[in-house]
Amino acid sequence: MNDKIEKILFTEEEIKARVAEMAKEINDYYKGEPVVVISVLKGSVFFVVDLIKKLDMDIALDFIAASSYGSGTVSSGKLKIKKDIELDIVGKNILLLEDIIDTGETLFEIINMLKARGVKSIKTAMMFNKPARREKAVEADFIGFDIPDEFVIGYGLDYDEQFRNLPYLGVLKRSVYEK
Ligand code: PRP
């Protein structure tokens, strides 16, 4: 284990097993209807790659980049769209993928923006859900794991752009960010 990690919340194996279950839930829900998967950069790329290999409908993939966080640990509360999607999504089923939903601000803003483009439906899937920090009411349709309000990193989640590549979800030691 990385020496900056306090503890592991979910191992690589546990995450892999849950992703497979989520894929089954999503396959059962869409029943073969085509879906445009939109991955919210950067954190969700690990989740999207693992998940969509297990989906059995026709999938188009696109990416959007938005940011509400600086390099610290507290949300600034302002969302910026840094990169928009490229596909035409009029009349399409959209599955929006996130690594984590925290305050809900990011998904709330992105959902409203995409809805205004005349999509057929929008569902959300997130690997990790931190319900204690929710400020915006956002429909979380497919959830990997509910997690406690701790500073988590790994499986796409960063602290100051580090630790995304850890294959597990860990809690960062306080000494790393309380300097
Ligand atoms: C993280 C995460 C979500 C968002 C969740 O992204 O990937 O997009 O924060 O927080 P919220 O529910 O409070 O809006 P971040 O802006 O850190 O970008 P990153 O994925 O590139 O690390």
Side-chain angles (χ1 to χ4, degrees):
M1 191 169 77
N2 186 301
D3 64 3
K4 298 192 174 98
I5 305 304
E6 181 75 43
K7 62 183 172 189
I8 292 177
L9 290 182
F10 297 102
T11 65
E12 183 173 10
E13 292 71 29
E14 287 168 332
I15 292 172
K16 193 175 169 197
R18 184 66 192 119
V19 170
E21 287 173 1
M22 290 177 84
K24 188 171 181 321
E25 291 166 21
I26 292 167
N27 284 332
D28 289 349
Y29 175 78
Y30 284 107
K31 297 185 172 59
E33 272 201 54
V35 171
V36 178
V37 169
I38 299 178
S39 159
V40 183
L41 294 170
K42 302 173 189 173
S44 72
V45 294
F46 295 76
F47 177 41
V48 73
V49 167
D50 288 347
L51 181 81
I52 67 173
K53 286 183 284 188
K54 297 181 183 304
L55 297 182
D56 57 18
M57 70 290 272
D58 288 343
I59 295 288
L61 177 62
D62 209 339
F63 296 91
I64 191 166
S67 187
S68 60
Y69 290 1
S71 60
T73 61
V74 181
S75 168
S76 68
K78 287 232 163 62
L79 188 84
K80 276 188 281 187
I81 300 294
K82 296 190 289 191
K83 180 216 168 297
D84 203 346
I85 56 168
E86 292 166 8
L87 297 176
D88 177 0
I89 55 169
V90 175
K92 302 286 172 66
N93 296 309
I94 306 301
L95 180 63
L96 204 46
L97 294 196
E98 269 286 22
D99 50 340
I100 189 166
I101 177 167
D102 193 346
T103 64
E105 189 79 39
T106 307
L107 272 189
F108 181 82
E109 298 288 339
I110 292 175
I111 288 169
N112 285 342
M113 190 183 93
L114 297 180
K115 265 187 184 162
R117 296 183 188 178
V119 299
K120 182 177 177 190
S121 70
I122 298 190
K123 294 286 169 188
T124 60
M126 63 230 36
M127 194 62 230
F128 305 110
N129 178 37
K130 221 186 234 186
R133 301 233 324 148
R134 193 77 84 257
E135 289 171 15
K136 295 275 186 189
V138 173
E139 200 71 34
D141 299 299
F142 304 99
I143 295 173
F145 296 108
D146 283 339
I147 60 169
D149 188 11
E150 299 200 75
F151 199 101
V152 287
I153 39 85
Y155 200 67
L157 291 158
D158 73 307
Y159 168 62
D160 213 3
E161 295 300 329
Q162 300 297 304
F163 308 108
R164 294 190 195 274
N165 58 310
L166 298 179
Y168 50 81
L169 188 78
V171 175
L172 192 61
K173 282 184 180 163
R174 280 185 170 271
S175 57
V176 179
Y177 58 92
E178 286 183 349
K179 287 172 199 159

